[in-house]
Amino acid sequence: MEIIGANTNVKVFAVSVCDRYFYPYALGHSGYVTDRHRNACYELIVDSDKNNLAVDNADVIEKAMEVNADSVIPKDYVSKPYETHESVKEFVSLYQESECQAQPYIVLQPPYKQIYSEFEDFYSQFNHFALGGLQSLSSPEMQVQEINRFHEVAHNDVTVHGFGVGTSVEIIRACRNNRNFLDSLDIGTPELSIKNDNIVDAEMEQFDFRVPKGNNSSTIRGQFAEAMLYLLNYVLSPLPNEGFIEEFYGHETVEEAMTEQGELSQFTDEATARNVFS
């Protein structure tokens, strides 16, 4: 808890399937999250399970109420920003008619800057945003650029959550260097990696690490997943010594670390966005 408390820049949520370990911040998909997950954390986000098309906004809101979630994410559609926008509008209407007490995060699909600007009258009424589709972007550098481009147009005092942003050196550097870059992120790597006989190191790179299989082996895997989550919190905190940080995350800016990629954004204007995602 002291390690997590020292990480003041970004709150790390575990994308949690395993309920055999306690970690303060968890994100569970609406299709499987239960009271056991609720009781294994302090703060719970219910997500919409983007891979299950049968799940709709009403299902997500109902699940959030069922497990007494702290936050809830509308149904979004990867690489479909306009379909996601329509879904968010539907979610807001259903949420306002419900008795749900969970804090809603308004989700966007890239290109965030164009979508927010095009529908600014709608989005300007909200303060909590979740940026989806980050895994679909071409590189970690591009992820950083698109998040920064969202900040260029979003109104002041917004809270930003990064969905599946990963833990690349570029993302960790951006989080360490700019406390307003992301307020929170979620990561499934700790549970997925140990399930697949891998573990991560200080650079969040995976390598082979066999764990036994058998009765209650998920309890053992849960302890390793928890340790990896603490490792990420430690890296994001001011606790590591300067030599370590310089070795792994030493570039002063993301741009200094970038290789030649042409445009800083793969989305140049609204027309391009519509062509790519129509």
Side-chain angles (χ1 to χ4, degrees):
M1 291 303 297
E2 290 178 356
I3 290 173
I4 291 175
N7 170 22
T8 59
N9 272 20
V10 56
K11 192 177 291 185
V12 176
F13 282 81
V15 178
S16 185
V17 177
C18 177
D19 55 17
R20 299 296 185 93
Y21 68 99
F22 181 86
Y23 177 76
Y25 310 117
L27 180 146
H29 290 162
S30 57
Y32 64 74
V33 66
T34 68
D35 288 335
R36 289 175 65 93
H37 296 95
R38 166 74 276 180
N39 294 332
C41 67
Y42 290 142
E43 187 172 338
L44 177 66
I45 298 175
V46 168
D47 187 19
S48 61
D49 193 358
K50 63 182 183 300
N51 295 320
N52 186 350
L53 297 180
V55 172
D56 59 21
N57 282 314
D59 296 326
V60 179
I61 293 171
E62 181 179 358
K63 177 61 73 171
M65 291 191 292
E66 178 185 323
V67 298
N68 192 27
D70 297 281
S71 303
V72 60
I73 308 294
K75 180 74 175 181
D76 64 328
Y77 300 89
V78 177
S79 298
K80 296 181 178 180
Y82 294 99
E83 189 171 341
T84 295
H85 172 70
E86 293 301 319
S87 178
V88 168
K89 289 198 299 183
E90 178 194 61
F91 172 90
V92 170
S93 177
L94 293 172
Y95 179 87
Q96 291 172 340
E97 295 172 358
S98 76
E99 297 181 358
C100 186
Q101 298 299 307
Q103 171 66 56
Y105 271 77
I106 302 303
V107 65
L108 299 171
Q109 285 285 322
Y112 315 119
K113 180 176 181 178
Q114 281 87 348
I115 296 300
Y116 184 96
S117 298
E118 184 172 349
F119 303 106
E120 185 171 2
D121 288 344
F122 174 73
Y123 290 120
S124 62
Q125 63 185 305
F126 304 106
N127 292 323
H128 295 79
F129 291 87
L131 303 183
L134 286 162
Q135 290 175 319
S136 68
L137 300 180
S138 59
S139 67
E141 293 90 349
M142 204 66 71
Q143 292 177 333
V144 173
Q145 293 299 332
E146 292 307 318
I147 294 171
N148 283 334
R149 283 164 63 84
F150 171 75
H151 281 293
E152 290 174 5
V153 294
H155 56 285
N156 293 332
D157 300 323
V158 296
T159 297
V160 182
H161 178 88
F163 266 129
V165 69
T167 51
S168 65
V169 168
E170 291 79 10
I171 290 294
I172 291 175
R173 181 187 299 117
C175 289
R176 286 185 58 86
N177 290 348
N178 181 0
R179 63 183 305 106
N180 296 319
F181 178 69
L182 288 176
D183 297 278
S184 59
L185 58 84
D186 59 77
I187 178 172
T189 301
E191 288 194 17
L192 285 174
S193 62
I194 199 65
K195 178 182 179 181
N196 296 323
D197 288 325
N198 291 293
I199 200 168
V200 301
D201 62 11
E203 294 182 87
M204 298 295 131
E205 295 290 338
Q206 298 187 42
F207 61 91
D208 291 342
F209 188 86
R210 295 294 298 278
V211 294
K213 303 294 191 295
N215 292 335
N216 287 323
S217 63
S218 58
T219 300
I220 303 300
R221 291 194 297 274
Q223 303 309 302
F224 281 102
E226 182 182 0
M228 286 184 268
L229 288 161
Y230 280 112
L231 173 61
L232 178 56
N233 278 277
Y234 184 82
V235 168
L236 287 168
S237 80
L239 297 173
N241 64 52
E242 293 183 8
F244 169 83
I245 294 301
E246 180 65 27
E247 178 182 358
F248 291 117
Y249 312 108
H251 293 282
E252 293 185 0
T253 66
V254 172
E255 285 77 7
E256 290 182 21
M258 289 177 65
T259 56
E260 289 296 327
Q261 297 186 73
E263 293 290 336
L264 291 181
S265 170
Q266 62 194 61
F267 312 110
T268 56
D269 52 35
E270 179 183 329
T272 300
R274 288 191 178 276
N275 289 335
V276 171
F277 294 113
S278 60

